[in-house]
Amino acid sequence: MQAPRFIAYEQAYLDFTIMESSKTMKLPGSFYKPLTIGSPAPYRELPVTLERMIHFVPPHIEKMRAKVPDLINTVDVVLGNLEDAIPADHKQAARDGFITLAKGNEFAATGLWTRINCLNSPWVLDDITEIVGEVGDKLDVIMLPKVEGIWDIHYLDQLLAQLEARHGISRPILIHAILETAEGVKNVEDIAAASPRMHGMSLGPADLAASRGMKTTRVGGGHPAYGVLADMAGDKPRSFSQQDLWHYTVAKMVDACAANGIKAFYGPFGDFSDPVACEAQFRNAFLQGCHGAWSLHPTQIGIAKQVFSPDIDEVRFAARILEAMPDGTGAVMIDGKMQDDATWKQAKVIVDLARLVAAKDPELADAYGV
Ligand code: GLV
Ligand code: MG
């Protein structure tokens, strides 16, 4: 009976060692070195960009591609989707359609992203090699689905460096991970720190629900049965308050991203018939620290724009805090509320975002007064 126990211990130790070594990060000196001779140096800090909504376009549909010039003037990011929702027999057409729409438009300050197929699919290698080869100089970000650990990021990171070198691309293409598997959530901090090519990540509530074995059939949002029931109090009716199913994961993702200087996003909200619930879900994410969300339907563009642009009264109040504490230290009272170094930093987050929004939106610039 001794031997199996010993073997089990040995195996556990081996597993532990492999697990630990897989967590090993590069030494600081090597972290920012280009991964391939001739590929551009990674960014040391992310470019400052406004990304309130990542708008999904199915690029195999010509009618949808025709809307891109208008979208460029309306949204912050145009994303050509190659993964889920594109039927298997249209994968090639979607890839070709994305290359066509990327070549046929000038995106100026609007981001150009694509969501490629996942790394264990038969389509992904051609997605990456053809798109980077054809339009890599215009592509800002590749969204990588179903990221489980740093190995997924490292694979794409190295391949992109090789392709950037081969095609003479001068700006690094960034990676945005979708957090949509239980293993990904477990490894979220390592994923966020995996490479200087990391742009950020989005919560993928549909795949994550499946991966976790959650008992829902929805794409994001709440569930009427998930909530808190008030205690019994005699014969009084007991109130029930629905809770946010995604609160824990969004918070975990925001911490992992903020700690590594990258950006967190809420992903899709699938019930297009309920804009109010969409707004509520987006707003929870915004207040928790997310920078934007996906828009899958034209009506969600306006919702995201409204939610992820800071509130006018909040901006004005934040500007008063900054004005009252020019060097950011000490304590002052404004309208009966105590302000100190910490609220000064909160105010700066809001005013910095307002400035970014104002640069793109003249109407809001006036209202914000920044
Ligand atoms: C998005 O990809 C999701 O699975 O929610
Ligand atoms: Mg998904």
Side-chain angles (χ1 to χ4, degrees):
M1 294 312 278
Q2 283 294 326
R5 248 210 316 256
F6 180 70
I7 290 168
Y9 171 78
E10 286 281 273
Q11 186 58 49
Y13 183 74
L14 194 66
D15 287 351
F16 175 74
T17 314
I18 292 169
M19 207 175 74
E20 284 303 295
S21 63
S22 73
K23 280 191 193 161
T24 307
M25 296 295 167
K26 282 189 182 170
L27 291 172
S30 308
F31 190 69
Y32 289 105
K33 283 192 183 144
L35 291 181
T36 297
I37 296 165
S39 64
Y43 291 120
R44 286 186 169 253
E45 278 186 33
L46 280 184
V48 179
T49 43
L50 186 63
E51 292 162 337
R52 293 165 296 182
M53 77 296 294
I54 302 162
H55 188 70
F56 273 53
V57 175
H60 57 300
I61 304 174
E62 200 183 336
K63 201 176 81 187
M64 295 297 179
R65 288 201 304 272
K67 295 180 196 263
V68 169
D70 279 345
L71 281 175
I72 290 173
N73 296 321
T74 325
V75 304
D76 296 337
V77 174
V78 173
L79 177 144
N81 179 29
L82 311 184
E83 199 223 12
D84 292 357
I86 307 298
D89 55 351
H90 288 90
K91 293 287 188 189
Q92 172 81 48
R95 188 189 306 139
D96 294 346
F98 178 72
I99 292 169
T100 305
L101 80 77
K103 283 188 173 165
N105 291 284
E106 283 314 318
F107 290 84
T110 303
L112 176 64
W113 298 22
T114 182
R115 177 170 79 165
I116 57 174
N117 287 286
C118 59
L119 290 179
N120 64 1
S121 76
W123 307 290
V124 67
L125 188 59
D126 291 338
D127 288 346
I128 303 167
T129 53
E130 289 182 26
I131 286 173
V132 176
E134 294 283 343
V135 292
D137 52 344
K138 286 184 134 180
L139 189 64
D140 295 299
V141 176
I142 288 184
M143 183 182 273
L144 181 62
K146 300 178 179 70
V147 172
E148 308 227 283
I150 53 172
W151 47 90
D152 294 327
I153 305 298
H154 289 169
Y155 170 80
L156 183 57
D157 197 7
Q158 186 69 62
L159 182 55
L160 283 175
Q162 290 163 349
L163 292 169
E164 285 165 348
R166 169 176 288 178
H167 299 291
I169 291 162
S170 56
R171 234 171 17 122
I173 298 165
L174 296 175
I175 299 175
H176 181 102
I178 311 182
L179 192 62
E180 54 182 351
T181 66
E183 192 174 4
V185 175
K186 178 175 80 69
N187 292 325
V188 66
E189 287 165 25
D190 293 338
I191 294 168
S195 159
R197 205 188 277 280
M198 283 301 292
H199 162 277
M201 59 184 92
S202 290
L203 172 76
D207 270 301
L208 184 54
S211 167
R212 281 178 172 161
M214 290 167 67
K215 308 302 178 289
T216 66
T217 53
R218 299 171 171 219
V219 177
H223 191 287
Y226 185 82
V228 175
L229 181 66
D231 279 359
M232 276 195 290
D235 292 339
K236 277 215 275 184
R238 300 166 72 176
S239 63
F240 177 83
S241 293
Q242 199 176 320
Q243 303 290 302
D244 184 353
L245 267 176
W246 305 106
H247 179 83
Y248 153 78
T249 319
V250 169
K252 193 167 169 158
M253 174 179 73
V254 167
D255 281 345
C257 289
N260 288 285
I262 67 172
K263 297 164 86 173
F265 292 76
Y266 180 81
F269 188 90
D271 186 352
F272 304 152
S273 71
D274 194 349
V276 180
C278 176
E279 182 177 334
Q281 182 77 75
F282 284 6
R283 183 157 289 112
N284 282 358
F286 174 68
L287 290 172
Q288 278 186 280
C290 287
H291 293 254
W294 301 2
S295 48
L296 302 183
H297 187 271
T299 54
Q300 295 182 337
I301 297 172
I303 299 173
K305 196 174 268 189
Q306 199 203 334
V307 170
F308 291 98
S309 304
D311 177 73
I312 294 166
D313 291 339
E314 283 274 32
V315 173
R316 292 197 171 156
F317 189 71
R320 285 174 64 200
I321 299 175
L322 298 189
E323 213 175 272
M325 297 171 59
D327 70 356
T329 68
V332 297
M333 296 298 289
I334 301 180
D335 299 346
K337 298 185 186 78
M338 196 264 313
Q339 312 299 331
D340 66 0
D341 308 45
T343 55
W344 186 92
K345 287 180 211 150
Q346 292 177 40
K348 185 150 174 2
V349 168
I350 292 174
V351 170
D352 284 351
L353 176 58
R355 291 209 171 103
L356 209 53
V357 172
K360 190 158 181 176
D361 189 331
E363 254 175 52
L364 274 175
D366 285 347
Y368 287 154
V370 292

